[in-house]
Amino acid sequence: MSTVEPTWRAPAPEETFGGEVAGSPPAVGPVEAEIVAELAELRKTVRNLRRQTRSNRVVSRAVGMLQERYRLADDRVAFTMLARTSQNHNLPVRTLASAFVAAPRPRHPRERWFAGRGRWAAPPVSKLLPGRPPGRLNRTDLVRALLRQVMEISGAPMGNVQLVDVASGGLELAAHHGLTDEFVDFFQHVGEDTTSCALAAQQTARVSVSDVATTSALDDDSRIHVLAAGSRSCHSTPLLDAAGRCVGVVSSHHERPASTLTDVQTAELDRVTAQAGRWLQWHDRTTVLDALEDLHALALGR
């Protein structure tokens, strides 16, 4: 039995309004365009406030602990010390605050905080930043280079890097590309929720999602935000230190479902993420601890 393909016909007059086909979006005038722009700016402001609130929680906690521990005059003095130390060591204030909150109290308040700790040279990052001295990099440079490499290797138009937040144990967004503002806001901090990145961190193994729309690796809220960003499949690879502990996760996002990685891509991803994980471990045990030691000395007045 043959079938007849439907053919297009011009809309009847009663199906149009003022020259537009019924159901098509109306023309946007200057007033409507201004309202849309104002709403977009308002959403942006709300997102920024939410991010600041999340960041301010750990910073405020660190300021309070700093003031109490060293009997500082007020919280402004404590925050100034925190900000100055973070600047001297090229660390985000939130990163230093999180490390301060998570670190054990000094055993002897008037002595060095981490006396006797070992030091070693920064591990190589030739796969990420060839020709750059690894000991002179900051974390932002490393993370951005990692994201570029992972997106290039996997052929992905979108991606993000999350690092373990030592104060909460969750994942904190550190870099992203090609993703929507709503995605960035929703995944700014990930705990033990059902997401591919959280599973990769827990299992210390790559988690690949062939179809975001149907996978059980995402809860419903996460699925909505990932799909809205244009991602239909993703690969989340943990960043492991020398002992196999997860220090972060990098994810590539693809526009089509069932985007698989070849053996060559997998091997190259393993190489760049291994370098990133070991460098981040070194950074936490040197740069971050150096900053905490200096903050300790500054608060003691030495």
Side-chain angles (χ1 to χ4, degrees):
M1 182 176 67
S2 62
T3 58
V4 178
E5 293 291 333
T7 57
W8 181 86
R9 65 174 179 79
E14 63 271 16
E15 295 176 306
T16 64
F17 300 91
E20 294 181 356
V21 179
S24 65
V28 178
V31 175
E32 290 86 352
E34 185 177 351
I35 293 173
V36 170
E38 289 179 354
L39 285 174
E41 189 62 28
L42 180 60
R43 292 192 186 99
K44 182 179 179 181
T45 300
V46 170
R47 285 193 298 269
N48 288 336
L49 287 173
R50 286 174 178 167
R51 293 171 194 171
Q52 290 174 14
T53 299
R54 281 191 290 263
S55 179
N56 287 344
R57 287 187 188 126
V58 70
V59 172
S60 296
R61 186 178 172 192
V63 165
M65 290 174 60
L66 194 61
Q67 183 183 357
E68 179 273 331
R69 183 177 298 174
Y70 299 98
R71 302 183 184 278
L72 301 177
D74 54 46
D75 56 359
R76 290 175 297 178
V77 173
F79 179 78
T80 299
M81 289 181 174
L82 194 68
R84 184 190 306 170
T85 305
S86 69
Q87 184 176 15
N88 289 343
H89 290 269
N90 203 9
L91 287 172
V93 173
R94 193 195 185 286
T95 300
L96 181 58
S98 181
F100 181 82
V101 168
R105 293 178 70 99
R107 291 184 179 181
H108 305 288
R110 303 300 302 182
E111 298 178 6
R112 290 183 62 83
W113 194 347
F114 304 102
R117 65 186 170 104
R119 303 185 71 88
W120 65 94
V125 290
S126 55
K127 289 289 181 181
L128 295 165
L129 290 163
R132 297 281 298 276
R136 297 182 182 179
L137 296 175
N138 61 47
R139 197 181 73 171
T140 300
D141 291 336
L142 187 284
V143 167
R144 287 176 177 172
L146 170 65
L147 182 57
R148 286 194 301 269
Q149 287 281 0
V150 167
M151 290 174 59
E152 182 178 341
I153 292 168
S154 60
M158 301 168 280
N160 63 279
V161 179
Q162 297 154 298
L163 299 180
V164 171
D165 177 40
V166 293
S168 68
L171 295 170
E172 196 74 21
L173 193 64
H176 57 88
H177 179 82
L179 298 163
T180 63
D181 289 336
E182 288 75 15
F183 179 102
V184 172
D185 182 53
F186 185 81
F187 292 104
Q188 189 68 35
H189 182 85
V190 173
E192 296 181 356
D193 299 14
T194 307
T195 59
S196 61
C197 54
L199 290 175
Q202 293 164 14
Q203 299 173 7
T204 61
R206 181 178 294 111
V207 173
S208 293
V209 173
S210 60
D211 192 347
V212 171
T214 59
T215 182
S216 61
L218 296 169
D219 59 32
D220 289 340
D221 286 342
S222 299
R223 189 191 324 278
I224 289 170
H225 284 83
V226 175
L227 288 173
S231 172
R232 284 299 304 271
S233 58
C234 62
H235 304 281
S236 295
T237 304
L239 310 175
L240 306 180
D241 66 14
R245 293 181 293 259
C246 181
V247 295
V249 177
V250 58
S251 299
S252 62
H253 293 271
H254 305 259
E255 296 170 316
R256 295 182 179 181
S259 176
T260 57
L261 298 172
T262 66
D263 290 343
V264 173
Q265 287 174 313
T266 297
E268 193 61 20
L269 283 175
D270 289 343
R271 282 190 282 268
V272 298
T273 54
Q275 283 198 350
R278 286 169 185 167
W279 187 91
L280 288 167
Q281 178 189 27
W282 169 84
H283 182 263
D284 287 342
R285 293 187 178 182
T286 54
T287 304
V288 174
L289 292 187
D290 285 347
L292 289 177
E293 194 72 81
D294 286 354
L295 180 62
H296 176 61
L298 181 63
L300 289 174
R302 295 204 300 262

